[in-house]
Amino acid sequence: MRSPQAALRNGETPSPRPRIQAHSPHHFQSTVSVQKLRRFNVLVFVLRVAAFCFSSASSIFMFVNPRGSDSPRWYDFDAFRFVLAANAIVAVYSLFEMAASIWEISGGVTLLPEILQVWFDFGHDQVFAYLLLSAESAGTELARTMKATDTCTANNAFCVQTVIAIALGFAGFLFLGLSSLLSGFRVVCFIINGSRFHL
């Protein structure tokens, strides 16, 4: 802005009031709120990593279970096929959600449009948590039934590894269930505040 003396030298009449420059309004966020949001997203990421690790370990343990030629095969039993398939599906889903969490932590925005992301996460967390729970329950019932027969007496290693795979699947369900609670919290925040997290 020019001074009144410079305006007089050029033959202009100086303005009695200095010009006020218009500033665009800035959206300020509390540093504490931003840190809370970041901690929340990191917690979601940790739960996704844990669900991925346990469900993928469960599916791998079940897949490599037959060790001897005379040992039973997991694919001979419907419940064990269900356990393997459910854990593999949850592992792939958790891998996608891990990538989405990294995207959100690094960029501050969701991978999909926000309204789609919150409902996608919540809906799939619910469906896959129930899928995993039903698969592990079916596998547990079959494992208990087999323990009472001669199958586990003759092939103890097969039964032990099957139980380990099912236990890992239950741990994956636990972490997926916790993720589902947090994604439900984000849905509620979106419905109330119009944002996935209240800042």
Side-chain angles (χ1 to χ4, degrees):
M1 190 174 88
R2 291 180 296 177
S3 64
Q5 290 82 6
L8 285 174
R9 278 197 298 268
N10 292 333
E12 298 175 9
T13 307
S15 173
R17 283 189 227 159
R19 289 183 206 166
I20 300 172
Q21 295 181 347
H23 294 285
S24 60
H26 294 287
H27 178 68
F28 292 102
Q29 292 179 349
S30 165
T31 307
V32 175
S33 296
V34 172
Q35 288 175 351
K36 282 165 66 176
L37 176 58
R38 186 170 181 82
R39 279 199 303 267
F40 182 84
N41 289 335
V42 169
L43 177 60
V44 170
F45 174 72
V46 168
L47 292 175
R48 300 292 186 194
V49 170
F52 169 76
C53 291
F54 282 105
S55 58
S56 58
S58 175
S59 57
I60 290 169
F61 263 76
M62 187 63 77
F63 184 75
V64 300
N65 196 358
R67 298 191 173 178
S69 57
D70 59 339
S71 176
R73 307 285 191 223
W74 59 267
Y75 47 78
D76 294 331
F77 305 95
D78 290 338
F80 294 158
R81 286 202 302 263
F82 188 22
V83 168
L84 176 66
N87 280 286
I89 290 168
V90 169
V92 172
Y93 167 69
S94 297
L95 190 62
F96 169 78
E97 286 293 342
M98 284 163 53
S101 293
I102 291 171
W103 181 276
E104 188 171 348
I105 290 168
S106 60
V109 293
T110 53
L111 185 63
L112 302 173
E114 189 174 18
I115 187 170
L116 291 178
Q117 188 75 55
V118 294
W119 286 107
F120 178 89
D121 293 347
F122 179 68
H124 285 83
D125 282 351
Q126 293 287 315
V127 168
F128 290 138
Y130 285 121
L131 174 72
L132 206 53
L133 181 61
S134 62
E136 305 310 328
S137 299
T140 301
E141 185 58 34
L142 179 58
R144 287 179 62 192
T145 303
M146 288 177 66
K147 223 167 194 181
T149 63
D150 294 335
T151 307
C152 286
T153 307
N155 300 283
N156 189 45
F158 173 81
C159 292
V160 168
Q161 192 161 334
T162 299
V163 169
I164 291 171
I166 292 169
L168 290 169
F170 272 119
F173 161 75
L174 174 67
F175 288 108
L176 187 59
L178 292 173
S179 299
S180 178
L181 289 176
L182 295 183
S183 60
F185 173 75
R186 282 163 51 124
V187 167
V188 171
C189 285
F190 187 82
I191 291 171
I192 294 173
N193 304 314
S195 174
R196 66 192 182 279
F197 195 81
H198 181 61
L199 289 176

